[in-house]
Amino acid sequence: EISLGLVGSEMCIRDSLQPAVLAAAKRHPDMAWVVASNRRLPVAQGSAGLICSLFGFPMWPPWAGLQGPGQYVITVDAGARHLIELREIIYPSTRPQDPPRPEAARSSGYELIAETRVSYVREIGDWRVLDDILEMTPHGHKISPPARAQIQNVSRLRLTFDAIVRTFRRP
């Protein structure tokens, strides 16, 4: 059985995941670390004991083909208020966005065994940190130049981090 770490969406693979995987591999040499598309994980059928999807796009049918009974998927998805303060700067109007529903996982043969919400507010006092956070999200690719300039003028921002952590198991 292989443990994989940090498998992400194709959009952020080259820019942000490779350094993270290298650092994680040094810290946890007992695991096999890869950077790969979440659509096609480079593992043999039945060998992915745990798949973690962090703010990614779950690919339930392909994952189900890689896992057997008793194997797990952990997903971390943005909660309804995740980064709401940044979104209010970027977009003319915002609304809470619910995380994906677990029906797609169920239809691929998974059962939801745990769900936890993690939510906190942190004050960010450096626009460069805000810019880094923004670049790790799809919003960083959609932001207009005036909105980016507005973020660069922010000296302090109380920012909401809101995530839903779910654990699924193949029965």
Side-chain angles (χ1 to χ4, degrees):
E1 187 169 293
I2 297 174
S3 298
L4 293 178
L6 293 176
V7 176
S9 69
E10 292 179 30
M11 179 171 57
C12 64
I13 285 175
R14 289 187 187 90
D15 297 335
S16 62
L17 285 181
Q18 286 178 338
V21 167
L22 291 173
K26 287 179 185 175
R27 190 168 184 168
H28 298 283
D30 56 323
M31 294 178 70
W33 292 87
V34 299
V35 175
S37 166
N38 53 0
R39 292 175 204 250
R40 277 188 313 244
L41 301 180
V43 298
Q45 185 173 355
S47 67
L50 173 64
I51 297 172
C52 296
S53 174
L54 309 176
F55 297 97
F57 303 97
M59 298 289 156
W60 295 107
W63 293 352
L66 298 176
Q67 293 191 304
Q71 295 183 321
Y72 296 87
V73 172
I74 297 174
T75 62
V76 180
D77 293 301
R81 298 199 45 83
H82 188 60
L83 306 178
I84 188 70
E85 298 84 357
L86 274 178
R87 291 189 284 134
E88 288 172 343
I89 293 171
I90 296 169
Y91 304 110
S93 65
T94 60
R95 59 181 168 75
Q97 296 183 347
D98 293 326
R101 297 177 181 254
E103 282 77 19
R106 288 189 185 113
S107 68
S108 292
Y110 289 91
E111 61 183 356
L112 177 64
I113 61 170
E115 180 174 301
T116 303
R117 181 178 186 170
V118 178
S119 186
Y120 61 94
V121 176
R122 178 76 35 104
E123 186 165 311
I124 308 294
D126 184 340
W127 72 266
R128 290 172 294 219
V129 173
L130 292 173
D131 199 52
D132 288 344
I133 291 168
L134 186 61
E135 286 307 309
M136 292 187 295
T137 72
H139 309 296
H141 301 280
K142 298 176 184 175
I143 190 169
S144 69
R148 188 170 297 278
Q150 186 176 354
I151 287 172
Q152 291 174 351
N153 289 322
V154 171
S155 60
R156 293 208 177 287
L157 182 66
R158 291 180 52 82
L159 190 59
T160 301
F161 296 87
D162 182 23
I164 306 298
V165 181
R166 292 180 175 137
T167 303
F168 297 90
R169 185 175 71 82
R170 299 274 298 168

